[in-house]
Amino acid sequence: MSGTRLVITGHVFTQSCTPVAGALLDFWQANNAGVYDNSGYRLRGHQFTDPMGAYSLETIVPGEYPGRTAHIHVKVRAPEKPVLTTQLYFPGEGRNQQDSIFNAALLMDVHDISAGKAATFTFVLDVP
Ligand code: FE
């Protein structure tokens, strides 16, 4: 698949900073041309956090599509808890400020690495 390689890592925590093991993370995104695969569902997949609440996603940087800045969709759910549906964003994107649902609280930390980009994001769920 063409595109800039991207690895996103981080943790899922409760509001009291307890790691959430076994949290579901369901990611989906457009390809580097801004197109979703709505038949084969490439670039959609789920995983569960490890016993330390950690996750790691290997993907590519998504392209923009009309009306939206670059973003990655994600559903996060602690075991037996409600689902959080949200999106992750990239700092420094020119179109962030023109996207009506952009939220700076959802910016990842993104750094260039030799193989592409490395990003981190910590999820804090509204669970005790
Ligand atoms: Fe989208």
Side-chain angles (χ1 to χ4, degrees):
M1 168 170 286
S2 56
T4 301
R5 291 183 60 141
L6 170 66
V7 180
I8 308 173
T9 58
H11 291 80
V12 178
F13 291 117
T14 67
Q15 291 209 331
S16 55
C17 297
T18 303
V20 181
L24 170 72
L25 291 152
D26 179 11
F27 295 99
W28 72 102
Q29 65 173 85
N31 67 12
N32 71 331
V35 176
Y36 288 93
D37 178 357
N38 290 322
S39 55
Y41 302 103
R42 284 192 89 185
L43 296 171
R44 179 158 193 162
H46 72 274
Q47 60 181 276
F48 295 90
T49 52
D50 73 10
M52 300 299 292
Y55 72 90
S56 179
L57 174 69
E58 295 183 30
T59 184
I60 60 166
V61 175
E64 299 173 342
Y65 56 87
R68 294 305 320 278
T69 192
H71 61 280
I72 293 177
H73 296 266
V74 59
K75 291 177 182 282
V76 189
R77 190 196 65 206
E80 313 298 320
K81 300 296 183 185
V83 176
L84 168 69
T85 303
T86 188
Q87 302 184 21
L88 301 175
Y89 296 100
F90 295 80
E93 291 286 318
R95 285 179 55 186
N96 283 348
Q97 300 309 323
Q98 286 126 49
D99 186 320
S100 63
I101 63 170
F102 169 76
N103 181 340
L106 301 172
L107 284 167
M108 298 181 287
D109 281 318
V110 182
H111 300 96
D112 291 330
I113 58 173
S114 59
K117 291 181 182 292
T120 58
F121 191 84
T122 301
F123 295 93
V124 179
L125 299 179
D126 188 12
V127 298

